[in-house]
Amino acid sequence: MSDTALVEMTPTAAEKVLELSAGEAHREYLHVYPTGQGCCRTMYGLVFMEEATDEFKVFETHGVKIAVKEAFHEIVSGVEIDYVETPQGEGFTVVNSRPSEGGGCGCG
């Protein structure tokens, strides 16, 4: 496991991940990966994995083992995972604080 984290996670998010993975061997690692390009930013996915092969960089934050494929390091670097509860619902948010490359966003 690496000491350098590509991905940051809030204590609230870590607590929820640990709650969801408790006692589940097939949920040993949280895989963070890009799912595509949305309006002005990359979208990310989260999925549990049982094991991480050599193609993954694995690091631990707040007791959560996070796995990122080597090929996605640059895209995923700077991501922060949080868990939020609002009147509309609850869930994980995944955002990248690094400014996107290229020009400005043309969204309204």
Side-chain angles (χ1 to χ4, degrees), residues 31-105:
H31 179 202
V32 181
Y33 60 97
T35 60
Q37 191 70 29
C39 181
C40 304
R41 65 179 150 224
T42 302
M43 296 178 293
Y44 301 94
L46 306 173
V47 65
F48 286 110
M49 299 185 337
E50 186 170 357
E51 60 183 73
T53 62
D54 290 342
E55 66 184 318
F56 288 89
K57 177 178 182 176
V58 176
F59 52 92
E60 190 168 323
T61 182
H62 301 294
V64 176
K65 294 177 190 171
I66 299 175
V68 177
K69 276 191 175 181
E70 296 274 349
F72 298 142
H73 282 192
E74 188 175 323
I75 298 168
V76 173
S77 179
V79 162
E80 181 175 278
I81 302 169
D82 195 6
Y83 188 82
V84 296
E85 296 179 26
T86 69
Q88 292 76 31
E90 60 185 81
F92 291 97
T93 62
V94 184
V95 296
N96 196 324
S97 59
R98 289 184 316 144
S100 61
E101 296 179 17
C105 183

